[in-house]
Amino acid sequence: MLYLLYQWLEANDYSLPLQNLLQYQTFRAGMAWATAFLVAVAMGSRFIRWMRTKQGKGQPIREDGIARHVIEKAGTPTMGGFMILAGMMVGTLLWADLTSVKVWVVIFVTASYGLLGFMDDYAKVTKQTTAGVSGKMKLFIQTLVAVLAVLALILWGQTPNEAPHLTTSVAFPVFKNLIIDLGWFYLAFGAFIIVGASNAVNLTDGLDGLAIVPVMIAAAAFGIIAYLVGNAMFANYLAVPFVPGSGELAVFCMSIIGGGMGFLWYNAPPAKIFMGDTGSLALGGSISAIAVAAKHEIVLGIIGGLFVVEALSVMIQVAYFKRTGKRIFLMAPIHHHFEKLGWAESTVVIRFWIVAIILAFIGLATLKLR
């Protein structure tokens, strides 16, 4: 919104103090972070008290899970993801270029998945069960939203300066000229990336602070990527596809970090509130939508490798159990496996953070390894 104000002032020859700062994406990204953080922190205490009175017993805890979780985490309210989303939306709407189709597509995915997550959390809390919206219904809505988002990027996301067919192509890291145009098959590919990443983050959200910090790390990495590939000079130097307009996604990425930090203020162990599906589905969707819009879908698998492993651990466990009646992991997702091995919750969380940081650096390194 403020960027549009800057353009209007410039067009009408008006001048305000510090007006020129609004033209810089780096400045607006920093302000988006600060805005999102302040919004999330400001609403925190009151929102948590309100959620506690409305939810009563709080988020239901899996009875077949870690025994101490039933004791330690019982009564903790959920839907804390609303705090993150509020900060993200205010930060983005205030500081991003609202003429960007890419920004609106990411907002659409984030808001839609956040609403779906809210419906799931609401069903769990009101029914006091770990089963919310049916899996098939969630998957259908997620897929529909993802397909619409990718379709919008294909039809309206391309700018005049963008290379032909780039919106339907997949660029592979490390290999300089390996870009494959999938045509309309990209619609299914992009939707798969968004849906898969959203559910992977959802599965990771099982311990205090476990999901939100890797999400912020991934957002930081993709903020850098979006800014670089959206700048013709940097993209040419790094020999990566130039994606005009993707620099504005860096503003959104910084709002994710700001909102996430504001939430972590209250989610740090022992958590006063859980993000719930309201947050995890939306955050996974936002990161993956940014990766698709910035044409770094494959790199998402590296930077978000922690989420990939979490999702694979569940898939492998289920498939192996159905086939043999036995389990590979003591418990899935894999973070619970390590808890069963005797690792303290804080040990699991911090070591997973370290893994997320390493993977983010590896993902960023692919920008130069060509």
Side-chain angles (χ1 to χ4, degrees), residues 14-42:
Y14 289 110
S15 180
L16 295 175
L18 305 179
Q19 171 183 317
N20 286 334
L21 288 174
L22 293 175
Q23 67 180 304
Y24 299 112
Q25 290 173 341
T26 49
F27 172 77
R28 290 186 284 113
M31 294 306 295
W33 167 84
T35 301
F37 174 75
L38 291 174
V39 168
V41 170

Side-chain angles (χ1 to χ4, degrees), residues 7 22 89 141:
Q7 291 181 318
L22 293 175
M89 293 305 172
I141 296 174

